[in-house]
């Protein structure tokens, strides 16, 4: 009938069906591209997590010897002075070694045997015993059971990272040490135990005594600084822009600024911190306060954007209601709008904190890459941060740090997971539909 | 008394003054006249009156003090130093500044040694935590001494003046508290100013960024000519002691090339994957798949870049190297490919989530028009939805590109450190961000071109990403307006 | 002129039945059509016959299901996830909901014009060429040009836009945009054209032009139009169906419905008691 109207080329039935088949094939292909793209992303994510977890789970256990150590007074404090300085200076390594010799039955006259036995113990046993004795001087003279840290190589042997098949000459632990270790394992003395050290030690050149405490405390200080500064400033800026700002060029400038700051590379913030906070204002390098300040500036756009969204979501009728009963605009906002926007603001804040906690590059600029042994007690003390610690361990040469690096990553991801879960919970719990 | 202590004092004064003001207003309230504002506003008013003037003094002092002291110290420099070029004068000032900071930790004996120009003073000072780029010369000690004492006096004065300001403010405020006073209005006006100031922090930050990179860059360009920096093809910043011959070569081109090369590889991964994911999620996926896939993709964005870097370093790089070895290709573990692919995965969500929004914003009517003509879904997407969404998607891709260019940790860990002008993606290259990090970590002496070049690199990076961002945000915004 | 010859030529090619099929032949039939949006039922057992070379108007108050029914006729409801259709709709004695029927081919035969003009963000030419391209209706550029020009002529838009075929279709006025959409629809040479309130977004003058156009198009196409305006239904249609609350209340000759409705509800609606 209507063939007459439009001069179209008529396809034969065969042509038509062939064409339709082709079109549907193209349709299917297009769909597969989408599925392939999503699968690629998921696959990569799974591989990423799998690689981190498989490398890192072993960092949560650490080999140690459960041995009774005789805290000999003649070695620690021969004159019975009770002076902490004397106690501090004592040779604890000797005590630990002696305990091990006895347990292993080492021939005390044979130097090679003694040397091999010494090699089983971590250098950190010194600190381990000292701290225990300083903490409770009444232990002196008693025989106390300790979990003495094994040397990193022994730990690697137990975790299978050092293969027994390697010829002795190329192996970090010799045959005698392997035999001892095996015996100790059999007797239940040498065991992989939960690695509390990972959370209680600071920096160390020995993997077995390197821990995250300094980094965790440093990151904590930085988060505190960010919360104390970024939240009030961010919320205030959001309130101003949403509720008070007149539509003019100044406001436009601020908005453009905020959007652009959100996309400025983080490392540039590091340069800012270095030039302004450290060079100009003379704040100390490596201090978590400076790190916190830099992260504050970085997170601010995120928080402002989230807070603005939360404030706009509060319907105007609420403001009008408050104004209608004679509240000032400021009162309407502080009494009604902000409390209603609070869940949204908190969610945005947590997302900003997550971002800040995982940030590394700017912290490298302001010297938070330091070898810090002592736990910082104020934000002005030298510290590191969790991601920076990962970076430092990842780039150190000793193999023992590989598992620590991945372990630290698991800890970092754990913190981020908890924070994200909190954000999701807040959103679900207080979600309000107007 | 340090600035921190002064501010801490103000933090303590605030609630005290507030309590006093509130009580005072409460007392007045019992009189015949009714209060205009509730007592709490009088309290806040008094507290603000007490701390704001003092705070003002502290801030102004903090900014002005280093400028003034430095200037006067510069005046004390001997003529021989003043004859030197500005860059070298700055080196000298840097030494003096460090010396002055640690001056009070030094004993008379040590000072005497320095004045005498004895050997080994640099090491001796380092042991005291005072790190100097070069050995102190005798004249520096005198200048440093003046500087240290000027700082002491200045700090004392600052404390005194701010205390006076606080007390004065408090008394004026106290006298003004009266039933008729519109304390609420005043407090609210101050709050508004506070809000305005808070929103100005964003501008201040941008200003700070521009100023800090610009100043240090200008400083750098006074040592190394701009043209050598912009057009040099060799990057070889020899770490020589400052002031000596052979500052090294600072050609940015190899770094720029590395940055762009890696970003390009990253975009090769991220754009198709991100775009197709976005299309699939917005056009095909069931709502259940969408509810699952969207957050999973967001997880990719939430993983810290250091974790990607670690993955590239310990897993992906070695994997590529081994696979390459198995098929007879020589791929180094640190290569353009390693860093690019991992970075590409990192920016997938930046492409996908923004594209998703943009595709969803294409009006339904547009799709229906196409379906109504008998187009299949993919034909509709390819020929109607995509062209309509194109400007927005270009914006999304530009934003992602700016992320890639500014990304640091992945390239620091996976790209390599040697500047390399190569077309081979299997070789390592280095990037601007890597060099910023490597020039600025470790013990640095702030005035050598080796350090300052990091700021010039930062400036380049900032301009590059800012340009991309502005174009991107502009296109995205234009696109949004079109469909609103 | 050239187009006219071609038309004649093609008429000659298929001289058969053209005339006798033209009058009052059934084009589409709907039997017991129910539509559900999720749990909510939107149409209840609709039975309707649609004739060739006639304009069938679907009228009724908002939300009565007339647009829903229209969208069933070329399966546009398939694009809504929660929509479910029961019953039988036939196009030339073929069930369009049959598994064997390809929805893409169906829509090429049953085209649709929407309430709001929705030109693609492309040039005027590309807007019209889009359909022929995806369906492979032109073997070369000349044929495509021919289709585009003829379609624009048919939609009585050609004279207004012939000098700016490369400009974006979104730059036209509302009425022109809607005629462009009509040109776009007829460019694939459909058998049925569905129009969903095509004039609701237009001013009276543009509306009048579209109505004229509809009347011209009737010669060659079967047209179903949903309209809010009873005057429009009276002006352009030969048959009218009145929907109310998801039910087809009454249908018949337009003349008949407007002068002598059988159902009280139709009467009330036409006389403006509700709407």
């Amino acid at each position: 009938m209507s063939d007459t109207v439009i001069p179209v080329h008529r396809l034969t039935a065969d042509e038509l069906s062939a064409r339709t088949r082709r079109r549907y094939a193209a349709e299917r292909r297009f769909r597969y591209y989408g599925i392939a793209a999503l699968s690629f992303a998921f696959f990569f994510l799974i591989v990423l997590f799998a690689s981190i977890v498989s490398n890192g789970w072993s960092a949560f256990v650490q080999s140690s010897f459960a041995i009774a150590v005789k805290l000999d007074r003649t070695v620690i404090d021969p004159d019975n002075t009770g002076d902490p300085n004397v106690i501090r200076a004592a040779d604890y390594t000797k005590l630990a070694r002696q305990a091990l010799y006895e347990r292993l039955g080492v021939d005390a006259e044979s130097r090679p045997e003694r040397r091999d036995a010494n090699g089983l113990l971590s250098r950190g046993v010194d600190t381990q015993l000292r701290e225990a004795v300083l903490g409770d001087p009444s232990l002196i003279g008693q025989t106390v059971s300790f979990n003495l840290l094994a040397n990193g190589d022994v730990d690697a042997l137990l975790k299978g990272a050092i293969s027994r098949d390697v010829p002795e000459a190329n192996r970090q632990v010799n045959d005698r040490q392997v035999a001892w270790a095996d015996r100790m394992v059999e007797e239940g003395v040498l065991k992989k135990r939960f690695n509390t050290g990972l959370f209680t030690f600071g920096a160390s050149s020995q993997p077995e005594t390197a821990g995250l405490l300094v980094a965790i405390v440093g990151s904590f200080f930085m988060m505190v600084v960010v919360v104390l500064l970024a939240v009030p400033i961010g919320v205030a800026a959001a309130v101003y822009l949403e509720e008070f700002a007149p539509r003019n060029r100044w406001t436009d400038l601020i908005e453009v600024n905020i959007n652009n700051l959100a996309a400025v590379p983080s490392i540039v913030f590091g340069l800012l911190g270095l030039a302004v906070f450290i060079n100009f204002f003379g704040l100390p390098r490596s201090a978590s306060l400076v790190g916190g300040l830099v992260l504050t500036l970085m997170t601010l756009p995120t928080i402002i954007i989230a807070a603005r969204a939360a404030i706009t979501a509060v319907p105007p009728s609420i403001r009008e209601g408050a104004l209608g009963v004679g509240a000032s605009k400021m009162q309407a906002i502080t009494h009604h709008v902000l409390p209603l926007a609070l869940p949204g603001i908190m969610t945005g804040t947590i997302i900003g904190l997550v971002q800040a906690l995982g940030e590394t590059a700017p912290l490298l600029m302001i010297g938070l890459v330091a070898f810090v042994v002592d736990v910082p007690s104020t934000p002005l003390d030298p510290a590191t941060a969790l991601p920076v610690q990962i970076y430092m361990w990842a780039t150190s040469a000793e193999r023992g740090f590989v598992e620590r690096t991945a372990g630290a990553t698991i800890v970092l991801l754990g913190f981020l997971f908890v924070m994200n879960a909190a954000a999701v919970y807040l959103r679900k719990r207080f979600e309000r539909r107007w | 008394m340090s600035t921190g202590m002064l501010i801490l004092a103000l933090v303590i004064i605030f609630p005290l003054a507030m309590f006093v003001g509130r009580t005072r207003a409460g007392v007045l309230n019992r009189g015949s006249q009714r209060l205009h504002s509730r007592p709490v506003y009088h309290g806040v008013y008094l507290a603000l009156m007490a701390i704001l003037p003092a705070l003002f003094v502290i801030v102004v002092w903090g900014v002005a003090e280093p400028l003034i002291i430095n200037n006067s110290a510069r005046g004390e420099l001997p003529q021989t130093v003043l004859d030197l070029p500005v860059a070298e004068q700055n080196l000298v000032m840097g030494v003096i500044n460090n010396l002055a900071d640690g001056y009070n930790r030094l004993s008379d004996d040590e000072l005497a040694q320095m004045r005498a120009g004895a050997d080994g003073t640099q090491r001796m000072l380092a042991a005291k935590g005072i790190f100097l780029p070069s050995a102190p010369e005798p004249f520096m000690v005198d200048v440093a001494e003046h500087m240290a004492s000027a700082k002491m006096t200045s700090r004392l004065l600052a404390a005194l003046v701010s205390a006076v300001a606080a007390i004065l403010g408090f008394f004026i405020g106290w006298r003004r508290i009266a039933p008729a006073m519109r304390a609420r209005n005043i407090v609210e006006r101050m709050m508004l100013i506070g809000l305005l100031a808070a929103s100005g922090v964003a501008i201040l930050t941008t200003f700070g960024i521009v100023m800090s990179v610009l100043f240090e860059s200008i400083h750098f360009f006074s040592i190394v000519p701009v043209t050598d920096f912009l057009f040099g093809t060799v990057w070889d910043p020899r770490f020589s002691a400052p002031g000596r011959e052979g500052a090294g070569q600072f050609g940015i081109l190899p770094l720029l090339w590395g940055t762009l090369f890696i970003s390009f590889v990253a975009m090769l991964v991220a754009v198709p994957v991100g775009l197709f994911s976005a299309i699939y999620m917005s056009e095909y996926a069931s709502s259940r798949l969408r509810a699952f896939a969207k957050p999973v993709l967001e997880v990719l964005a939430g993983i810290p870049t250091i974790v990607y870097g670690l993955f590239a370093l310990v897993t992906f790089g070695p994997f590529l190297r081994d696979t390459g070895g198995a098929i007879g290709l020589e791929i180094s573990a640190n290569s353009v490919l390693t860093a690019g692919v991992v970075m590409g995965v990192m920016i997938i969500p930046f492409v996908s989530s923004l594209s998703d929004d943009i595709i969803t914003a294409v009006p339904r009517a547009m799709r229906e028009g196409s379906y109504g003509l008998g187009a299949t879904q993919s034909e509709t997407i390819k020929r109607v939805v995509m062209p309509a969404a194109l400007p927005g998607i270009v914006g999304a891709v530009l934003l992602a590109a700016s992320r890639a260019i500014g990304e640091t940790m992945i390239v620091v860990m996976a790209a390599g450190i040697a500047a390399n002008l190569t077309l081979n993606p299997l070789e390592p290259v280095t990037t601007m961000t890597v060099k910023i990090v490597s020039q600025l970590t470790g013990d640095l002496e702030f005035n050598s071109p080796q350090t300052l070049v990091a700021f010039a690199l930062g400036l380049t990076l900032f301009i590059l990403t800012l340009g991309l961002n502005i174009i991107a945000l502009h296109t995205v915004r234009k696109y949004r307006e079109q469909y609103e | 002129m050239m187009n006219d010859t071609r038309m004649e030529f093609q008429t000659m090619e298929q001289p058969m039945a053209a005339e006798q099929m033209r009058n009052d032949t059934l084009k589409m039939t709907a039997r017991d059509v129910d539509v559900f949006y999720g749990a909510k039922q939107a149409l209840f057992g609709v039975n309707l016959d649609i004739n060739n070379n006639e304009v069938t108007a679907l009228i009724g108050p908002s939300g009565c299901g007339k647009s829903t029914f229209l969208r069933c006729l070329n399966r546009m409801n398939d694009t809504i996830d929660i929509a479910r259709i029961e019953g039988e709709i036939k196009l030339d004695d073929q069930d369009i909901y049959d598994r064997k029927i390809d929805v893409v081919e169906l829509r090429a035969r049953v085209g649709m014009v929407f309430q709001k003009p929705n030109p693609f963000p492309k040039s005027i030419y590309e807007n019209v060429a889009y359909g022929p391209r995806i369906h492979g209706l032109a073997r070369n550029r000349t044929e495509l040009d021919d289709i585009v020009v003829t379609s624009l002529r048919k939609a009585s838009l050609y004279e207004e836009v012939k000098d700016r075929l490369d400009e974006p279709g979104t730059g036209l006025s509302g009425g022109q945009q809607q005629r462009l959409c009509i040109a776009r629809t007829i460019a694939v040479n459909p058998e049925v054209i569905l129009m969903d309130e095509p004039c609701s977004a237009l001013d009276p003058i543009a509306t009048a032009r579209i109505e004229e156009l509809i009347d011209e198009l009737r010669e060659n196409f079967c047209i179903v139009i949903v309209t809010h305006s009873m005057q429009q239904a009276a002006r352009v249609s030969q048959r009218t169906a009145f929907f109310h609350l998801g039910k087809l209340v009454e249908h018949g000759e337009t003349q008949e419905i407007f002068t002598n409705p059988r159902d009280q509800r139709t009467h009330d609606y036409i006389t403006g008691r509700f709407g």
Side-chain angles (χ1 to χ4, degrees), chain A residues 1-11 16 19-20 23-24, chain C residues 6-7 10-11 14 102 104-105 133-137 139 189 220:
Chain A
M1 40 147 273
S2 50
D3 316 55
T4 51
V5 187
I6 308 294
V8 297
H9 164 63
R10 285 258 151 199
L11 297 168
L16 187 67
R19 195 181 158 77
T20 311
R23 287 173 67 192
Y24 275 109
Chain C
R6 182 181 289 267
M7 271 195 260
Q10 282 184 345
T11 329
Q14 296 183 324
D102 174 38
V104 163
E105 282 175 35
R133 271 191 220 264
I134 58 175
H135 293 294
L137 301 180
R139 276 166 301 187
N189 197 23
N220 307 101

Side-chain angles (χ1 to χ4, degrees), chain C residues 53-57 214 218 223-225 236-239 254:
Chain C
N53 302 103
E54 269 188 4
V55 177
T56 306
I214 292 172
R218 177 165 67 92
I223 295 175
V224 185
I225 178 170
V236 301
S237 72
Q238 284 70 51
R239 294 179 78 82
T254 302

Side-chain angles (χ1 to χ4, degrees), chain B residues 36-271:
Chain B
H36 167 271
S37 305
R38 288 176 38 225
V40 63
Y41 284 105
H42 291 271
V44 176
Y45 169 75
L46 188 60
L48 289 175
M49 285 296 283
I51 69 158
L52 284 185
L55 199 62
F56 179 76
V57 168
I58 293 171
V59 170
V60 171
W61 209 283
V63 175
E65 183 199 85
L67 293 177
I68 294 171
I69 291 183
N70 264 341
N71 242 335
S72 75
R74 215 172 262 267
E76 289 177 41
L77 294 177
Q79 195 56 41
T80 46
V81 178
L82 290 176
D83 289 341
L84 292 171
V86 179
E88 292 184 27
Q89 276 184 39
N90 286 336
L91 296 181
V92 172
M93 282 307 296
V95 177
I96 295 174
N97 250 321
N98 285 358
L99 204 54
D101 282 342
Y103 191 85
N104 293 332
R105 271 174 283 165
L106 300 173
S107 64
D108 291 340
D109 182 37
E110 286 160 333
L111 289 174
Q113 272 186 43
M114 276 189 287
R115 284 213 171 81
D119 288 336
T121 44
Q122 194 177 354
R123 204 170 316 131
M124 171 189 85
L125 290 171
K128 290 234 161 192
I130 305 167
F131 298 98
L132 300 184
S134 61
E137 291 173 48
F139 76 87
M140 294 179 182
V141 184
D142 293 327
V143 182
E145 186 189 352
H146 290 156
M147 225 169 152
S149 73
K151 268 186 187 162
M152 281 289 282
T153 343
S154 153
R155 287 289 149 84
L156 262 173
L157 265 174
L160 211 66
V161 173
S162 51
V164 169
I167 292 166
L168 220 63
F170 180 83
F171 275 107
I172 294 174
W174 166 267
R175 300 244 341 240
R176 284 218 191 130
I177 290 180
M181 193 188 66
R182 304 183 159 215
R184 183 173 55 74
N185 303 39
I186 297 171
V187 168
E188 286 186 354
R189 179 133 348 113
M190 288 188 185
M191 278 169 79
L192 188 58
I193 293 171
L195 297 183
L196 178 64
S199 69
V201 170
I203 293 198
L204 215 60
T205 310
T206 310
F207 180 78
I209 289 175
V210 172
M211 282 303 144
S212 52
V213 290
L214 201 64
F215 266 133
E216 305 292 354
S217 297
I218 290 171
H219 197 159
F220 170 72
F221 290 133
S222 69
I223 308 170
V224 176
V226 185
T227 44
D228 287 7
F229 175 69
L230 286 183
F231 304 113
T233 54
V234 179
W235 174 267
D236 178 24
R238 269 166 274 156
F239 270 97
S240 51
R244 263 189 237 144
E245 286 297 307
Q249 280 173 283
F250 300 91
I252 194 180
L253 288 183
L255 309 185
L256 193 61
W257 168 247
T259 302
L260 296 180
F261 198 6
I262 290 180
S263 305
F264 177 72
V265 173
M267 298 310 283
L268 278 187
V269 174
V271 171

Side-chain angles (χ1 to χ4, degrees), chain C residues 220-233:
Chain C
N220 307 101
F221 303 99
C222 162
I223 295 175
V224 185
I225 178 170
V226 165
T227 175
H228 227 82
S229 138
M230 279 163 303
Q231 291 83 348
Q232 187 170 60

Side-chain angles (χ1 to χ4, degrees), chain B residues 405-419:
Chain B
I405 288 173
E407 170 48 40
T408 309
M409 292 324 291
I410 294 178
V411 283
V412 164
M413 296 175 84
I417 44 165

